[in-house]
Amino acid sequence: MIEELIENANREAIERVQNSQPTLVGIGIACDVIPDMDENLILHAGPPVRWEDMCGPMKGAVIGALIYEGRARDEDEAAVLASSGEIRFEPAHHHASVGPMAGIISSSMPVWIMENKSYGNRAYCTLNEGLGKVLRYGAYSSEVIGRLKWMEKILAPVLKEAMEIHGPVDMKTMIAQAVQMGDECHNRNKAGTSLFIREMATSILKTSFSNEDKISALEFLNENDHFFLNLSMPACKCTMDAAAGIKYSTLVVTQARNGVEFGIRVSGLGDRWFTGPAAIIDGLYFPGFSIDDANPDIGDSCITETTGLGGFAMAAAPAIVQFVGGTPKDAINFTQTMYEITLAESSTYRIPFLDFKGTPTGIDIRKVVETGIPPVINTGIAHKKPGIGQVGAGIVRPPMKCYEDALEAFVNSLVEEGLIEK
Amino acid sequence: MNRLNELFDSKLKVINIGLHGFADDLKSLDVDVIDVDWRPPAGGSKRMADLLKKLK
């Protein structure tokens, strides 16, 4: 009887994942569009974390956001304000949002608006800043703040008007195409970025902005292979949010890291986080850096793995091993193994090399605990000090404790209902 | 006994379902081994196995 209850709930949850239609509908300013956002609220990646407990890159990104917002003139003022209690910190996930790495979103930042056309829920994410010294890795120099201001004043308005000319973009189809072109939409976004530029180029040209602004916007998109990441992430977020809150479902709907802890949430267990220590990433380090420089795992970007992309879709993206380490055979094995812990094969995201089999989709806490196989996540590696940026990329496994604690809580909830004996 | 001797006189083909160390020892003796990627349910944790059992 219990097993049937769970199976029925998981069937409903996975149907909602499969039927979701993430669609890009526009760009807005965070405080105008993100639910319950205000000027004293800063959103961050991962499960809840206090200012004093944040890791270096996240603190750096908070400092940068306060300078960007004009709330502080320098690092010292920003740190005083951040610790004053005037500024609140909450997970982006609590506000239908996601952010890569530090994942900092403050009130004036432009954000993508992604709508799940099947269920009506929306998700939000900032625009990707590119690589190198960027806010999401904790950099807050004048160069970083200047770029963010340019994104707010030029890039976002150009893209917003282009979106109004173009109309909504079917992100599910675009991700499916990108996967067939060798992306896994977490750490490889070359195809997705190219497809997005192709889709939007003429609409950008039709905007009322100067040629200089239009050219600078197009050049910015073209120079950043990861631009599509901040589109695939909210697409995944609005997909998984549609499957949250289904009683008796053991589906994982959130996986996220704040640089200190890794956390998950489960459909049938409400908004409760189950956390464990964030791991150091096994990967390839850029010249001059080593594992000693690495910050523990950070960012909301593993919402892609939660949806059957990223590390779960690596068989579609063998070239990524040059970035995250390993061999193409490893990439295939990662995907194959993930079928052991998931509920379904994606009906949309298909892998040519596996005879167009759908990617492993929908992590089941029962399967993770039973098999002892933790999800595979490929990810960027941040320097542990703020402002230095990305120092490598690699593969990381979440702590099993998250899934074990969630399983225990799930069983306890059934005991409390009198459905099973203690 | 004769049949057992026959077995050891012929080339051994081994499938190992268990600790990887068994396969490693045989490989070091040039014996062909297929090492099944096996691990005990719930990583051998009785507490987790009991929880899983309650859901079945």
Side-chain angles (χ1 to χ4, degrees):
Chain A
M1 178 212 168
I2 293 301
E3 197 166 17
E4 197 180 332
L5 270 181
I6 298 170
E7 295 304 328
N8 287 341
N10 282 344
R11 197 172 302 119
E12 185 187 341
I14 210 72
E15 252 180 46
R16 291 175 77 89
V17 172
Q18 301 278 31
N19 293 340
S20 284
Q21 286 290 342
T23 305
L24 181 63
V25 295
I27 291 178
I29 298 301
C31 63
D32 297 335
V33 294
I34 293 179
D36 302 320
M37 187 73 190
D38 64 62
E39 61 180 16
N40 287 324
L41 178 62
I42 288 186
L43 306 182
H44 62 76
V49 60
R50 298 179 304 176
W51 160 258
E52 52 268 36
D53 297 327
M54 286 179 187
C55 65
M58 188 173 279
K59 277 190 169 170
V62 168
I63 288 166
L66 291 172
I67 296 171
Y68 163 78
E69 293 291 346
R71 302 288 298 271
R73 277 173 299 186
D74 54 31
E75 177 186 347
D76 292 340
E77 271 191 23
V80 168
L81 179 58
S83 58
S84 69
E86 190 180 335
I87 303 294
R88 294 164 4 255
F89 300 98
E90 292 178 17
H93 268 290
H94 292 186
H95 295 263
S97 302
V98 278
M101 302 313 284
I104 297 300
I105 305 175
S106 61
S107 61
S108 301
M109 290 182 183
V111 290
W112 293 115
I113 305 169
M114 197 71 66
E115 184 168 313
N116 186 337
K117 289 289 183 187
S118 301
Y119 301 102
N121 62 301
R122 287 184 166 189
Y124 308 88
C125 185
T126 51
L127 280 60
N128 193 288
E129 311 159 75
L131 290 173
K133 291 197 173 179
V134 286
L135 190 82
R136 72 178 184 280
Y137 281 99
Y140 52 83
S141 63
S142 56
E143 170 198 353
V144 175
I145 305 301
R147 188 190 304 111
L148 288 173
K149 284 290 176 194
W150 174 81
M151 289 171 73
E152 180 190 327
K153 303 293 182 200
I154 306 293
L155 179 68
V158 168
L159 291 173
K160 185 178 188 330
E161 192 178 320
M163 283 293 304
E164 286 161 5
I165 292 164
H166 181 283
V169 179
D170 176 354
M171 203 46 59
K172 192 170 193 179
T173 300
M174 195 172 278
I175 291 172
Q177 284 179 314
V179 168
Q180 297 205 0
M181 292 167 70
D183 279 2
E184 40 66 84
C185 300
H186 183 172
N187 272 290
R188 193 172 201 277
N189 287 289
K190 284 175 192 283
T193 300
S194 304
L195 288 168
F196 185 72
I197 294 170
R198 197 176 78 164
E199 185 78 29
M200 295 305 299
T202 51
S203 299
I204 289 172
L205 295 179
K206 288 176 188 169
T207 61
S208 58
F209 287 82
S210 68
N211 276 344
E212 187 188 352
D213 288 344
K214 289 187 266 196
I215 289 167
S216 64
L218 280 165
E219 280 179 345
F220 185 81
L221 266 59
N222 186 47
E223 286 165 3
N224 178 9
D225 282 341
H226 285 283
F227 193 78
F228 193 72
L229 172 64
N230 292 41
L231 291 162
S232 68
M233 284 176 60
C236 291
K237 170 66 176 165
C238 72
T239 297
M240 297 315 293
D241 274 0
I246 296 173
K247 199 168 171 65
Y248 306 127
S249 171
T250 53
L251 174 74
V252 175
V253 290
T254 307
Q255 297 184 114
R257 319 85 107 193
N258 59 31
V260 179
E261 284 189 314
F262 190 106
I264 69 166
R265 297 190 296 181
V266 176
S267 178
L269 291 171
D271 290 333
R272 189 171 163 193
W273 288 90
F274 300 92
T275 61
I280 291 289
I281 298 138
D282 177 24
L284 295 178
Y285 285 82
F286 298 163
F289 296 104
S290 74
I291 200 162
D292 295 335
D293 300 304
N295 196 79
D297 199 13
I298 184 169
D300 285 334
S301 53
C302 55
I303 191 68
T304 53
E305 276 84 2
T306 316
T307 319
L309 296 167
F312 286 45
M314 277 178 70
I320 199 175
V321 298
Q322 292 180 314
F323 189 54
V324 299
T327 65
K329 179 74 177 159
D330 293 329
I332 293 159
N333 286 345
F334 284 139
T335 293
Q336 296 281 30
T337 311
M338 292 302 100
Y339 290 108
E340 301 285 327
I341 60 166
T342 45
L343 290 162
E345 295 169 12
S346 173
S347 55
T348 307
Y349 307 140
R350 295 175 181 277
I351 302 171
F353 185 78
L354 300 181
D355 292 332
F356 294 94
K357 189 175 182 177
T359 62
T361 301
I363 300 161
D364 183 344
I365 54 168
R366 295 173 305 168
K367 293 188 175 191
V368 173
V369 174
E370 184 158 20
T371 60
I373 300 171
V376 62
I377 291 165
N378 64 42
T379 192
I381 306 170
H383 198 287
K384 60 188 174 190
K385 290 183 187 163
I388 295 177
Q390 186 171 5
V391 296
I395 299 291
V396 69
R397 301 281 190 161
M400 284 298 285
K401 178 181 179 297
C402 303
Y403 307 88
E404 291 174 351
D405 289 353
L407 181 73
E408 190 164 15
F410 188 82
V411 169
N412 287 341
S413 70
L414 297 180
V415 171
E416 281 168 22
E417 280 192 46
L419 289 170
I420 54 176
E421 287 179 15
K422 195 166 183 181
Chain B
M1 192 65 191
N2 281 345
R3 294 202 61 185
L4 199 60
N5 286 340
E6 259 177 49
L7 177 66
F8 284 102
D9 283 342
S10 61
K11 186 174 167 59
L12 285 178
K13 293 174 183 170
V14 181
I15 298 174
N16 176 53
I17 306 172
L19 296 176
H20 297 301
F22 295 160
D24 293 341
D25 283 348
L26 289 166
K27 279 178 192 167
S28 72
L29 298 169
D30 289 329
V31 176
D32 291 337
V33 185
I34 292 174
D35 189 18
V36 175
D37 185 12
W38 179 89
R39 60 188 87 190
S45 161
K46 184 174 179 312
R47 193 169 70 88
M48 285 299 130
D50 286 346
L51 290 173
L52 287 165
K53 207 170 161 185
K54 286 178 194 285
L55 301 180
K56 289 186 175 165

